[in-house]
Amino acid sequence: SDLILEGSSKVTASGVKGLSQIRSLESLNLVRVTLEDAVIDSLTAMEGLMEVYLYQTGLSGDAINRLKETRPRMFVNAG
């Protein structure tokens, strides 16, 4: 399933972590959602997640690269 949270100001790191309970989640759009680098650990743990959209989130390049290295089969669009 897909989840689009684009532009939401109410998304938190703990909220993203909670999304890991949705086993059927395959695509997650977090465009223009302000995030901290720690959210990468939650995204990495989402085994069913196959694509994630992260541009204009404030995540560091290092965090994005860590996600790509940890989950090489995941499509990561960080803009």
Side-chain angles (χ1 to χ4, degrees):
S1 64
D2 300 345
L3 181 58
I4 300 171
L5 298 172
E6 183 171 345
S8 175
S9 61
K10 303 201 184 288
V11 176
T12 64
S14 63
V16 173
K17 185 176 182 178
L19 295 175
S20 65
Q21 302 301 314
I22 306 172
R23 303 260 184 240
S24 61
L25 187 59
E26 295 178 350
S27 176
L28 181 58
N29 181 333
L30 294 169
V31 173
R32 294 192 333 267
V33 174
T34 302
L35 300 170
E36 296 177 7
D37 286 356
V39 80
I40 294 300
D41 294 331
S42 298
L43 296 174
T44 299
M46 295 179 191
E47 294 179 11
L49 194 61
M50 298 307 295
E51 57 186 51
V52 63
Y53 298 87
L54 298 171
Y55 43 92
Q56 298 179 0
T57 58
L59 291 170
S60 72
D62 287 344
I64 298 293
N65 287 334
R66 187 163 46 97
L67 177 60
K68 289 179 178 180
E69 289 171 7
T70 306
R71 295 288 305 278
R73 292 189 177 146
M74 181 189 293
F75 174 75
V76 179
N77 186 336

